Amino acid sequence: MDLPVDVDCNLMIDRVIESRRSIRKFKQEAPSKELIEQILQAGLQAPYASASVSREDFRRFIVIPRESKATPQIAAILKCKAEVWSKQMELQMHHDEFTKLHAGPFLERLKLMGEHGVPNMGKAPYYVVVAEQRGIPPVEHLSLAHCLQNMWLKAAALGLGLQLLSLTQQLDTDKEFCDLIKIPIGEFVLDGCLIGYPDMKPPIPKRPSLDQVTEWIN
Ligand SMILES: Cc1cc2nc3c(=O)[nH]c(=O)nc-3n(C[C@H](O)[C@H](O)[C@H](O)COP(=O)(O)O)c2cc1C
């Protein structure tokens, strides 16, 4: 027989998980520093690879408010990175069958970002970069994903919107960017997101039913 559950807690977590969405349009109004700190705290609570990290500050958060004087420079770095990456990917498509078959839709998006800049960068109230110490085994990107998921769920619980900005991952070897965010180049991997009040209610994205994707091997 199943053990008794905390019904309220269970309902609450289901509600938060179901309400979490990718938000790609933000209100002008900025959430308070206190709300952002609650989201960062949730990220800090996420699991980390204790065997891989050695620094006390194995995870760091860099908050760049829209009005920061660094924002235009960061937007330019991201735009340039998208342009360079899209050109590399186009070249790669000539000799790599997998890239040729699968890169199409992503490449189109990358090209657009290379031409016009990253959507919402400089529009959303906050750009948050999360840095995780590199180690052996090299699981730092997994730790970042756990961290961002906690942040995303907390943002949803607070009625805030979050958009992942995965292009940030490409910047851990960019000296200009690492200097700007005060992260020692080579020691951390990066990921990032935009945060603000949602100004959209996205439709529910298509997902397979649980039956379709689950196998019980008895
Ligand atoms: C690893 C990963 C990277 C993602 N990167 C981006 C991104 O750079 N920009 C973006 O707008 N959404 C990004 N997304 C969000 C997905 O597009 C989104 O989660 C998916 O379409 C499902 O929608 P939902 O988040 O509203 O459930 C990413 C999601 C994952 C898991």
Side-chain angles (χ1 to χ4, degrees):
M1 208 175 84
D2 289 337
L3 295 172
V5 294
D6 181 331
V7 176
D8 289 342
C9 179
N10 190 36
L11 281 174
M12 220 105 76
I13 190 130
D14 281 351
R15 256 179 66 187
V16 176
I17 288 171
E18 280 160 22
S19 69
R20 181 216 56 82
R21 307 302 312 286
S22 288
I23 295 301
R24 302 194 174 93
K25 193 163 187 274
F26 296 93
K27 290 192 170 141
Q28 176 69 17
E29 182 192 350
S32 66
K33 185 179 177 202
E34 288 68 31
L35 288 178
I36 299 300
E37 281 176 342
Q38 286 188 48
I39 293 172
L40 305 186
Q41 187 61 45
L44 194 53
Q45 298 285 110
Y48 66 97
S50 57
S52 294
V53 298
S54 55
R55 304 172 61 119
E56 199 184 352
D57 63 344
F58 59 86
R59 180 171 294 158
R60 283 160 73 166
F61 301 94
I62 302 94
V63 182
I64 302 129
R66 178 180 48 206
E67 289 74 20
S68 162
K69 61 181 188 314
T71 297
Q73 195 179 347
I74 288 174
I77 294 171
L78 282 162
K79 181 171 179 282
C80 180
K81 181 52 79 178
E83 193 186 348
V84 170
W85 197 13
S86 70
K87 286 185 177 147
Q88 285 170 345
M89 200 170 286
E90 271 178 329
L91 286 177
Q92 203 177 333
M93 281 172 99
H94 292 304
H95 55 83
D96 181 50
E97 199 56 28
F98 190 83
T99 310
K100 194 152 114 191
L101 270 177
H102 297 286
F106 177 64
L107 181 59
E108 285 314 305
R109 258 189 257 175
L110 209 51
K111 276 187 185 168
L112 280 177
M113 288 196 271
E115 280 167 34
H116 306 290
V118 171
N120 286 327
M121 185 67 213
K123 282 195 191 144
Y126 297 96
Y127 172 42
V128 178
V129 178
V130 189
E132 188 87 7
Q133 190 196 347
R134 296 179 60 211
I136 305 286
V139 289
E140 46 275 2
H141 275 296
L142 299 176
S143 300
L144 278 184
H146 288 294
C147 172
L148 277 158
Q149 181 69 1
N150 261 22
M151 292 167 65
W152 210 343
L153 292 174
K154 185 67 182 182
L158 291 169
L160 297 183
L162 185 150
Q163 176 182 14
L164 293 180
L165 211 170
S166 297
L167 191 56
T168 313
Q169 292 169 23
Q170 304 299 315
L171 296 175
D172 59 7
T173 51
D174 186 297
K175 181 153 182 354
E176 186 189 0
F177 187 73
C178 288
D179 285 352
L180 206 58
I181 63 168
K182 303 189 177 98
I183 285 288
I185 194 163
E187 279 187 56
F188 286 81
V189 298
L190 307 176
D191 208 342
C193 64
L194 299 165
I195 301 177
Y197 286 109
D199 196 17
M200 67 181 298
K201 212 172 177 307
I204 296 170
K206 207 165 164 270
R207 283 193 168 83
S209 73
L210 190 60
D211 281 351
Q212 263 177 288
V213 293
T214 308
E215 207 71 60
W216 290 67
I217 313 286
N218 294 312

